[in-house]
Amino acid sequence: MGTSRANLYFKIQTAYIIILGVIWSAFAYSKGVIVPVDTLERWSPLADILLKHKFNIFAALNDATEIRSISIPYIAWISVIALCKLLFGSYWGVGVIVLNLLAGIFIAILILKVTWNSTKKPICVIFAGLAFALCYDVLQWIPVVLSEI
């Protein structure tokens, strides 16, 4: 009985992740990459400085005084932008959107797992998955190149 229920959960999770990935990808594609002004004017130039110094944060700190007043999580965000610029070139925004999609899918897996472990009911897992998939904030966040929701 336990094995068949676990198998059922695995089937639900697999189907959900595939459907969610396709729908969210299509939604992000239909919206296009949305790059807010703060990302373009503040974070992107700092990422360019970090790239110029080959990810040497200490050299970048000496070159750009505005980095000195930024907290560590934002330095991580600047590093993500710089890495996407390194890997994707002028399409670096697409790299961030891919990261958003992967983060959203990872969160969905966690929600399904917690729901399954606490209830062991397939209908609860399906409802939790649908509720998360249709969450307005998550749908708005996926196509936007932002450091936070």
Side-chain angles (χ1 to χ4, degrees):
M1 180 79 174
T3 305
S4 66
R5 285 179 87 56
N7 192 21
L8 178 62
Y9 165 73
F10 180 73
K11 288 179 182 177
I12 291 171
Q13 179 185 3
T14 303
Y16 175 78
I17 296 306
I18 291 170
I19 293 169
L20 183 70
V22 168
I23 290 173
W24 277 357
S25 296
F27 178 76
Y29 181 77
S30 71
K31 289 283 205 176
V33 177
I34 302 167
V35 183
V37 175
D38 67 330
T39 300
L40 279 178
E41 292 181 357
R42 184 169 188 193
W43 307 123
S44 181
L46 294 176
D48 292 335
I49 292 170
L50 195 58
L51 277 173
K52 182 176 91 174
H53 293 288
K54 299 179 181 168
F55 290 92
N56 183 343
I57 190 69
F58 300 110
L61 285 170
N62 287 332
D63 194 19
T65 56
E66 58 269 12
I67 292 180
R68 294 179 191 163
S69 63
I70 296 174
S71 64
I72 291 173
Y74 284 110
I75 291 175
W77 170 240
I78 293 167
S79 299
V80 167
I81 293 175
L83 184 63
C84 287
K85 284 185 171 196
L86 183 67
L87 295 175
F88 294 95
S90 62
Y91 298 102
W92 61 272
V94 174
V96 176
I97 300 306
V98 169
L99 286 175
N100 286 354
L101 281 167
L102 292 174
I105 289 171
F106 179 71
I107 293 167
I109 290 170
L110 290 176
I111 289 171
L112 295 177
K113 187 78 169 165
V114 167
T115 305
W116 179 257
N117 286 338
S118 60
T119 65
K120 301 285 189 215
K121 295 181 181 176
I123 192 70
C124 292
V125 173
I126 292 169
F127 178 76
L130 283 174
F132 182 70
L134 299 175
C135 178
Y136 179 78
D137 289 339
V138 175
L139 285 174
Q140 294 306 309
W141 162 67
I142 288 182
V144 181
V145 179
L146 278 178
S147 59
E148 64 272 329
I149 294 179

